[in-house]
Amino acid sequence: MFFFLASKPMWQQKKPRGVTKEMSSSSQVFSPFRAIGFCCNHLPLVSSSLGAETFVVTSVGRAFHVYTCDKLRLVFVGTQQPDQLQCLAIQGKIVYASYQNVVKAFKRGQEVNTYLGHEGEVQFILPFGEHLISIDDSNVMRIWHSVSKELYGEMHFDVCSFTILSALHPSTYLNKLLLGSQQGQLQLWNIRTSKLVYTFKGWGSAVQILAQSPAVDVVGVGLESGGIVMHNLKYDQTVMRFHQEWGPVTAMSFRTDGTNTVATGSSIGHIAVWDLDKKRLSTILRNSHNGSVSGLQFLQSQPVMVTSGPDNSLKMWIFDQSDGSARLLRSRCGHSAPPTKIRFTSTGGDAVKILSGGLDNALRVFGVHKDVAMNMELSQGSLLKRSKVRGVKVETLKLPAVADFAAESVRADEWDGVVTCHAGHGSIQTWNLNKYTIGQHTLSSKHADLGAKPKATVDPLEVLPWTPSTWRCSQAPVMEPSSCMLAVAADNFTVSIVDTGGRKVVRRFRGHTNRITDMSFSPDGRWLVTSSMDCSVRTWDLPTGRMIDIFLVESPATSIALSPSGDFLATTHVDDLGIYLWSNKTMYSHVSLRPLSEKIKPTFTDLPTTKLTEHDETDVESNTQRNENELTMDDVSEKCTPLAEGLVTLSMLPKSRWSNLQNLDIIKQRNKPMEPAKTLKLAPFFLPTLPGLQPKFLPSEEGSDIPVTEVGGGSKILNLGELNPLSEFQKCLQQCAGSNQYAPLMDLMKELPPASIDAEFRSLAPESGGSVEWVEHLMTFLLETVRTNRDFELVQSYIGLFLKLHSSLIRESPDLLTLTEKLLSEHKQAWTSLQHDLNMSACLLAYCKSAVI
């Protein structure tokens, strides 16, 4: 384990200026991909319920995360802001966040509004109906119209007499805002008239938290002294009062599922649950977080509580124990202290994981592609029970911080595949990565001196300890197994490549200006990537012995690792809890890897952000059950526009909307009732009525105004075509046929379910009240739509249904036969072009898989 100290840290210096374009260089190999391992920070969480789903929003520095409470899945990530977020709020689908003196509104992670005007840093945000209230550190409160961004009002408070710390809109109090102060007083204001309604004297301590209780007029007040007060605003009376002995109240929330309890958080990680009926302490959740409990919220009408803290953990607790206490239901955590060592590993299959050891005494696993299901800490045994028996924190029973580790996936299902050495610990511990638990073996080491920290390297057959004094190196040597090359970082900031077979130095790389922190070989053994305290990450080409890439980061990298396939580079950094992934651009584009000049001046590159991958975004859309109709038809039309001439586009509709159009009759036959409907024994007599919203009796034949047609022999046939008015589909078809613009008709048909499409197609036939002219209009629509190459699969399904329903009519009409020949010609042309492209792509893929390139 290394503690990074420097007299003049480069990551605290300003970026160099005056770098010319010819002499500067950014990374030509690696580009930022995403950051993992972040869950939350010290800002309190906020929550909102939308239907049956509840969302939780947390801050992760310059962005925010939105999680669903069903499995704590990350569904949205806010855009990266110029500075650290100061506070959060949520109202429905809108998330409000502030940094410096700026307040912004976001929807689905995208910015929709910006509110400017504060002179100080915004410290508090409160949505208030159609308004938004923001309070800055200069004690100025501004009231905005949340949609138009107009300033509704502004109020200034004296810092010496009333410094605002908290705010709450009391339930059922119209236009009223309750403010808590550093001086201990509370004030009730009417924000519409900007007048002070009432002043509460307080309890002689700063008001940290204000929370609305399920009872009208009663609010919960959390004090800096640890006091918890239930106060009636209407009568200015204290209903009950508690006190927690762990310092200030940092969070408070009431249960709303019928159980009269309130939970409060503390600055040392304990959570107290108070019984309001019995007016006493009910239970304590000790050490729920490693540090302060910054956020605490009960879910609406559920015995579930969500908490967050600066230890980078988000936890859900459920109150289902017989004694009324809670148990941990699920959690989402990252490192609570900076990770110092990372390596890629795999336990079989396609799942690639990152093994990470940090200063928080934890060994964790992070998934690269789908980190939700694979993010976890390797268990060190039943520490929770032991901590309760001894009355100490779980962290005190863990092994010391991981100084170094190595992993091997060969036969990992048969024995422990990970070994770790720990700071101040004279033994080596094994771990089982398949079971995510501590191993059965503890290997003794002769390096018992606390000053000599052994470095672990793993060979499939043996474990060898190395010491810095033996190699005179600043970092553990790294072995390339296929070529048996050993990379050694020396104290003079150089890297030597040693051929272990020939026992000689074959390459030596110079260029770093500070201590080298980590090294990693590429899977093919051609590259060596190194990081240093000079804030640079360099890539060296072993065959040529030259540097081919370099870039700078603002915080020095403490550990780096290349993935087994070489598509990702992972880095960790000083005083940073996250793991950052960089994509290898040579895997998906042509990159000219020319040796770089020694005079090259690298440029700073921003670290990756916590954005979602395409796989995660797909999961978000399916799991949150997003309605397809949320997209307007203009948006759909814009997204369905072909990228180039000759290309086809799909309709973006679910497969269920078009795949079974030709089989609806089979589906109806399969789903029909097993037994016919039974008639009532004593059915009442009803006079025949006409269909419609207003019931009308069917008139007699003499006075009937129903259109009929006289036929030979005096018979009369009811004209169904004149009886039924035109449907919306037929009206749109008629208008489009007149203008020869069929886009509105396609937009309408996309909104209709399959059964309605089938019914509308059938209604155009003469025997259903239609005519041959209506069928011609529909065929013209299909013909023109095929020519556009848009909504390709949807149009094919419509053509199949049309031919199935009206094939007999087409054979009898010469005009329809002519249109059918044109439609067949256009269809063959479109399909032949598509089939040619598909065959070409399939051939190319087969060649890439089988041929040796």
Side-chain angles (χ1 to χ4, degrees):
M1 180 176 61
F2 299 99
F3 297 92
F4 304 99
L5 299 176
S7 58
K8 294 182 179 180
M10 284 194 62
W11 67 92
Q12 296 179 2
Q13 299 177 4
K14 295 182 178 179
K15 297 181 182 180
R17 299 177 182 270
V19 179
T20 61
K21 184 177 181 181
E22 292 75 17
M23 296 298 295
S24 64
S25 172
S26 60
S27 177
Q28 59 180 350
V29 176
F30 300 106
S31 62
F33 179 62
R34 68 181 299 205
I36 59 177
F38 289 102
C39 297
C40 58
N41 61 6
H42 64 283
L43 293 186
L45 63 86
V46 292
S47 64
S48 176
S49 296
L50 295 175
E53 190 70 79
T54 302
F55 297 90
V56 171
V57 183
T58 64
S59 170
V60 289
R62 295 192 296 163
F64 62 84
H65 285 180
V66 181
Y67 300 94
T68 58
C69 287
D70 55 351
K71 294 182 180 178
L72 288 182
R73 290 177 293 103
L74 178 63
V75 293
F76 296 110
V77 176
T79 55
Q80 200 82 352
Q81 301 304 310
D83 204 349
Q84 300 289 318
L85 301 184
Q86 298 292 335
C87 53
L88 293 171
I90 187 172
Q91 184 181 38
K93 296 181 179 180
I94 305 298
V95 176
Y96 298 95
S98 72
Y99 67 91
Q100 298 177 357
N101 62 341
V102 180
V103 181
K104 292 186 176 181
F106 301 84
K107 185 176 182 180
R108 294 186 176 273
Q110 302 300 317
E111 180 181 335
V112 293
N113 267 333
T114 302
Y115 309 89
L116 302 174
H118 278 285
E119 295 182 359
E121 290 190 357
V122 178
Q123 302 292 334
F124 193 86
I125 307 174
L126 179 65
F128 194 90
E130 61 181 10
H131 296 90
L132 177 68
I133 296 175
S134 57
I135 304 171
D136 61 24
D137 57 1
S138 60
N139 230 26
V140 176
M141 181 173 70
R142 297 171 70 92
I143 306 170
W144 314 82
H145 192 280
S146 58
V147 178
S148 64
K149 301 183 293 183
E150 295 180 359
L151 184 62
Y152 182 80
E154 183 175 294
M155 302 171 63
H156 295 260
F157 295 83
D158 185 13
V159 178
C160 298
S161 60
F162 196 87
T163 304
I164 302 175
L165 292 183
S166 54
L168 172 71
H169 167 51
S171 179
T172 71
Y173 281 56
L174 185 64
N175 299 325
K176 304 301 189 298
L177 184 67
L178 182 66
L179 302 177
S181 67
Q182 176 71 42
Q183 291 76 15
Q185 296 179 340
L186 282 79
Q187 293 183 357
L188 186 65
W189 285 82
N190 187 320
I191 64 170
R192 187 177 64 86
T193 61
S194 299
K195 292 183 178 181
L196 177 62
V197 178
Y198 190 80
T199 300
F200 302 88
K201 295 182 179 180
W203 300 268
S205 180
V207 179
Q208 299 282 101
I209 300 294
L210 291 173
Q212 177 65 53
S213 74
V216 180
D217 300 325
V218 178
V219 297
V221 183
L223 304 178
E224 188 179 27
S225 62
I228 303 156
V229 180
M230 304 296 123
H231 196 74
N232 190 302
L233 300 179
K234 184 176 181 180
Y235 300 102
D236 191 11
Q237 293 181 354
T238 297
V239 180
M240 63 186 72
R241 186 170 182 177
F242 308 107
H243 182 78
Q244 65 179 24
E245 301 176 352
W246 314 308
V249 178
T250 58
M252 178 186 296
S253 181
F254 290 85
R255 283 183 65 172
T256 57
D257 62 336
T259 303
N260 297 324
T261 58
V262 60
T264 58
S266 66
S267 57
I268 63 173
H270 298 337
I271 296 177
V273 182
W274 309 86
D275 191 327
L276 300 180
D277 292 331
K278 299 180 180 180
K279 299 182 180 181
R280 64 177 179 85
L281 180 65
S282 175
T283 185
I284 299 176
L285 302 178
R286 296 187 179 273
N287 303 313
S288 58
H289 286 272
N290 185 17
S292 175
V293 180
S294 59
L296 185 153
Q297 187 70 49
F298 276 103
L299 301 188
Q300 185 69 28
S301 304
Q302 298 183 46
V304 178
M305 177 178 64
V306 186
T307 63
S308 65
D311 58 349
N312 197 23
S313 65
L314 183 64
K315 299 181 179 180
M316 292 185 65
W317 311 81
I318 183 169
F319 289 80
D320 61 352
Q321 302 298 299
S322 58
D323 58 352
S325 60
R327 61 180 175 87
L328 184 63
L329 180 61
R330 58 180 61 94
S331 64
R332 181 164 183 146
C333 308
H335 280 290
S336 59
T340 57
K341 179 81 172 184
I342 55 173
R343 287 295 180 264
F344 280 90
T345 183
S346 177
T347 56
D350 298 330
V352 180
K353 308 172 186 177
I354 295 178
L355 195 60
S356 171
L359 297 177
D360 55 354
N361 303 352
L363 187 64
R364 305 191 66 89
V365 174
F366 295 92
V368 175
H369 300 290
K370 196 173 182 181
D371 60 332
V372 179
M374 293 187 292
N375 283 6
M376 63 187 69
E377 179 182 352
L378 272 66
S379 173
Q380 298 188 22
S382 56
L383 301 182
L384 184 59
K385 293 183 179 179
R386 291 162 54 189
S387 66
K388 290 181 179 179
V389 173
R390 300 184 184 182
V392 296
K393 291 185 177 182
V394 175
E395 285 70 20
T396 61
L397 301 177
K398 291 183 177 180
L399 290 170
V402 176
D404 203 357
F405 69 85
E408 178 57 56
S409 59
V410 176
R411 302 181 68 178
D413 55 341
E414 300 181 16
W415 54 43
D416 300 337
V418 179
V419 292
T420 59
C421 51
H422 303 262
H425 202 64
S427 60
I428 299 175
Q429 182 64 53
T430 64
W431 302 77
N432 192 308
L433 197 55
N434 282 350
K435 299 179 181 178
Y436 299 101
T437 59
I438 195 169
Q440 302 177 356
H441 308 285
T442 300
L443 310 178
S444 60
S445 172
K446 64 181 180 180
H447 302 278
D449 186 7
L450 297 182
K453 299 176 181 65
K455 308 297 175 186
T457 61
V458 169
D459 184 86
L461 300 180
E462 58 183 351
V463 177
L464 302 175
W466 304 86
T467 62
S469 58
T470 304
W471 290 85
R472 301 190 58 171
C473 59
S474 62
Q475 178 62 30
V478 178
M479 175 70 74
E480 206 293 306
S482 61
S483 61
C484 295
M485 294 293 178
L486 187 71
V488 181
D491 291 337
N492 60 355
F493 316 142
T494 63
V495 179
S496 301
I497 307 299
V498 180
D499 184 357
T500 57
R503 298 188 177 184
K504 63 178 181 179
V505 177
V506 295
R507 292 287 187 274
R508 183 171 280 114
F509 302 121
R510 295 181 176 88
H512 285 294
T513 58
N514 208 326
R515 184 167 53 82
I516 297 171
T517 58
D518 204 0
M519 302 173 290
S520 180
F521 280 100
S522 63
D524 57 4
R526 293 182 60 89
W527 293 355
L528 177 69
V529 182
T530 61
S531 62
S532 169
M533 289 298 292
D534 60 8
C535 297
S536 68
V537 178
R538 301 171 184 251
T539 304
W540 311 87
D541 185 66
L542 268 64
T544 61
R546 301 291 298 274
M547 182 178 66
I548 58 174
D549 186 65
I550 180 175
F551 65 94
L552 299 179
V553 288
E554 294 188 9
S555 179
T558 57
S559 184
I560 59 175
L562 279 165
S563 63
S565 58
D567 52 350
F568 289 114
L569 171 70
T571 63
T572 60
H573 299 265
V574 172
D575 297 331
D576 201 313
L577 302 181
I579 298 175
Y580 297 91
L581 297 177
W582 308 75
S583 60
N584 186 350
K585 292 189 286 188
T586 62
M587 302 293 292
Y588 54 85
S589 63
H590 176 71
V591 177
S592 177
L593 298 178
R594 298 173 299 173
L596 300 180
S597 170
E598 296 180 357
K599 299 180 180 180
I600 196 72
K601 292 185 179 180
T603 59
F604 282 85
T605 302
D606 293 332
L607 293 176
T609 61
T610 57
K611 66 179 181 180
L612 295 173
T613 63
E614 294 181 0
H615 190 282
D616 293 332
E617 291 173 349
T618 303
D619 289 345
V620 168
E621 296 300 326
S622 60
N623 288 312
T624 57
Q625 298 180 354
R626 180 179 179 183
N627 192 348
E628 295 289 339
N629 293 332
E630 289 183 6
L631 290 174
T632 64
M633 297 315 301
D634 293 337
D635 296 334
V636 174
S637 299
E638 182 179 353
K639 292 185 178 181
C640 291
T641 303
L643 299 176
E645 185 179 356
L647 298 181
V648 299
T649 60
L650 303 182
S651 63
M652 297 177 58
L653 293 181
K655 186 178 179 180
S656 59
R657 298 282 295 275
W658 52 267
S659 61
N660 295 320
L661 270 176
Q662 302 179 42
N663 302 319
L664 287 179
D665 51 351
I666 300 177
I667 296 175
K668 291 179 181 178
Q669 182 70 20
R670 184 185 60 190
N671 296 338
K672 73 176 183 179
M674 299 297 295
E675 298 180 359
K678 297 181 179 180
T679 58
L680 296 176
K681 295 182 179 179
L682 298 176
F685 174 76
F686 294 99
L687 293 176
T689 59
L690 292 174
L693 296 177
Q694 299 294 333
K696 295 181 180 180
F697 292 109
L698 186 65
S700 61
E701 193 170 302
E702 287 81 4
S704 175
D705 55 355
I706 300 176
V708 294
T709 302
E710 294 282 351
V711 295
S715 300
K716 298 181 179 180
I717 299 178
L718 189 65
N719 193 336
L720 297 178
E722 298 182 8
L723 177 64
N724 296 327
L726 295 179
S727 65
E728 184 178 359
F729 171 81
Q730 292 173 336
K731 292 179 181 179
C732 187
L733 177 60
Q734 191 176 41
Q735 294 175 359
C736 293
S739 61
N740 202 28
Q741 299 293 331
Y742 292 93
L745 180 61
M746 176 57 74
D747 294 341
L748 174 63
M749 294 178 68
K750 287 181 180 180
E751 298 178 356
L752 297 178
S756 299
I757 296 292
D758 180 81
E760 295 290 356
F761 277 28
R762 293 178 185 271
S763 67
L764 301 181
E767 61 270 15
S768 300
S771 63
V772 176
E773 184 180 2
W774 282 111
V775 179
E776 289 182 2
H777 291 337
L778 182 59
M779 289 195 68
T780 306
F781 157 71
L782 296 175
L783 178 62
E784 295 297 329
T785 310
V786 168
R787 290 172 177 170
T788 63
N789 284 338
R790 297 172 60 174
D791 306 313
F792 192 81
E793 86 288 10
L794 196 61
V795 176
Q796 302 302 314
S797 181
Y798 290 164
I799 293 176
L801 176 63
F802 172 80
L803 295 177
K804 177 182 178 181
L805 298 177
H806 303 296
S807 56
S808 58
L809 180 64
I810 293 175
R811 289 193 297 267
E812 299 173 358
S813 173
D815 296 337
L816 295 180
L817 283 175
T818 302
L819 284 176
T820 305
E821 293 177 355
K822 293 182 180 179
L823 180 60
L824 177 62
S825 176
E826 294 291 340
H827 180 273
K828 283 185 177 180
Q829 182 178 354
W831 177 248
T832 302
S833 176
L834 178 61
Q835 190 174 32
H836 175 268
D837 294 340
L838 291 175
N839 292 338
M840 194 172 180
S841 300
C843 181
L844 182 60
L845 288 175
Y847 173 76
C848 293
K849 289 182 178 180
S850 60
V852 179
I853 301 177

